[in-house]
Amino acid sequence: MSYLTGTPAGTAHAGTTDVRTGFGVPGLAHPLLAPAEWGELARPGRPLHWVVLDVADGPGTRPDPHCLGAAGRLRAAGVRVLGRLDLAHGTRAVPEVISDAQRFLDWYHADGFLLDRCPADRVDLPGVRRITGMLRTLHRASHLVLGHGTHPYPGYAENADQLVTFSGSWSDYRWSQVAEWTAAHPPERFCHLVHGVPHGHLEEALRIARWQGAATIWFTDRTDRGGLHDPWETMPGYWDEIVSRIGMGVSE
């Protein structure tokens, strides 16, 4: 049930109305701790582009029955399940990354991967290109998302299906600027993950994503409490409302 639809490269972001906005869920708490949230994501008709599975800072050391069940229900609902691979800003050994990927494929039948803490500089591009090439060899149909959290060197766009070009707080997002080179790519190539978005500013946040050309989003009112808390581990307090807004389509 993918809502990602192709758009010719070079199409202007502003005013785009034929791209379906949807959610990229960066990783809820373990299904044992958040069973209702995982169950909600598996409900039919949710506009989900993908959901990240992070068992234990990766796939863990053995198959987890709770995660197996959660991933199975999502895939039965037609939702992509992505395994989280931590690149540690380019410092992790490549064999470790590939070993984690293989376990995600073997145990959870992952549909692809979020390469979290992905480097963004030009000098690191060859290393990331090597990893994405090896992941394609493992599973040719893998959906690859590079989790930069900022606008990377443009060449990264050639090595993945999507790039996370913003990950951070609402206070930073509302004043953020889009990199000019992104206009050469359609909105379904980009993701924005924003925490601390107040309910009253939800429409403004959706407008920013639309005009900056990001078709995959995750907005939440949860905060990181000064870096001491994971804002992604629970659902937004306004989940039903944002589902309704996205379900109706986000357009001018």
Side-chain angles (χ1 to χ4, degrees):
M1 182 169 53
S2 170
Y3 291 90
L4 299 177
T5 56
T7 309
T11 299
H13 291 166
T16 297
T17 59
D18 59 347
V19 175
R20 183 76 175 272
T21 300
F23 300 119
V25 185
L28 295 172
H30 190 280
L32 183 62
L33 302 176
E37 286 87 345
W38 284 93
E40 171 64 24
L41 293 179
R43 288 180 59 188
R46 294 303 187 232
L48 295 168
H49 290 169
W50 39 261
V51 174
V52 172
L53 180 66
D54 187 9
V55 180
D57 197 24
T61 57
R62 62 181 61 84
D64 183 304
H66 302 285
C67 292
L68 283 168
R73 286 186 288 273
L74 285 171
R75 298 186 73 248
V79 178
R80 284 192 184 106
V81 177
L82 307 184
R84 177 182 175 269
L85 302 176
D86 185 5
L87 298 194
H89 307 295
T91 64
R92 273 195 87 195
V94 173
E96 290 182 9
V97 175
I98 300 304
S99 177
D100 279 358
Q102 188 65 67
R103 289 200 294 271
F104 269 122
L105 291 171
D106 292 344
W107 298 343
Y108 303 104
H109 306 291
D111 302 294
F113 305 98
L114 169 68
L115 280 64
D116 201 16
R117 298 202 295 169
C118 184
D121 294 334
R122 182 175 184 174
V123 67
D124 294 304
L125 177 57
V128 173
R129 181 184 294 122
R130 179 188 174 198
I131 290 173
T132 58
M134 295 175 74
L135 294 175
R136 297 287 192 200
T137 299
L138 286 180
H139 183 36
R140 185 176 299 275
S142 284
H143 186 82
L144 302 183
V145 181
L146 300 184
H148 307 286
T150 187
H151 287 95
Y153 176 72
Y156 283 93
E158 302 172 4
N159 297 278
D161 298 286
Q162 293 184 289
L163 309 179
V164 178
T165 53
F166 185 93
S167 180
S169 69
W170 165 244
S171 59
D172 290 333
Y173 187 61
R174 68 185 310 191
W175 305 114
S176 63
Q177 299 291 323
V178 66
E180 291 184 5
W181 65 263
T182 64
H185 302 275
E188 61 263 31
R189 299 295 307 283
F190 302 105
C191 317
H192 289 173
L193 312 175
V194 190
H195 61 77
V197 181
H199 181 271
H201 290 275
L202 186 54
E203 180 56 39
E204 181 184 355
L206 292 169
R207 190 182 310 118
I208 292 170
R210 181 162 67 246
W211 281 92
Q212 290 197 9
T216 300
I217 62 169
W218 185 251
F219 296 158
T220 180
D221 51 349
R222 313 308 185 189
T223 67
D224 65 356
R225 301 177 190 172
L228 301 176
H229 179 73
D230 181 359
W232 315 125
E233 68 179 7
T234 59
M235 303 285 278
Y238 40 64
W239 171 248
D240 288 339
E241 178 174 344
I242 194 171
V243 166
S244 177
R245 287 173 181 259
I246 298 301
M248 292 185 295
V250 179
S251 61
E252 289 295 324

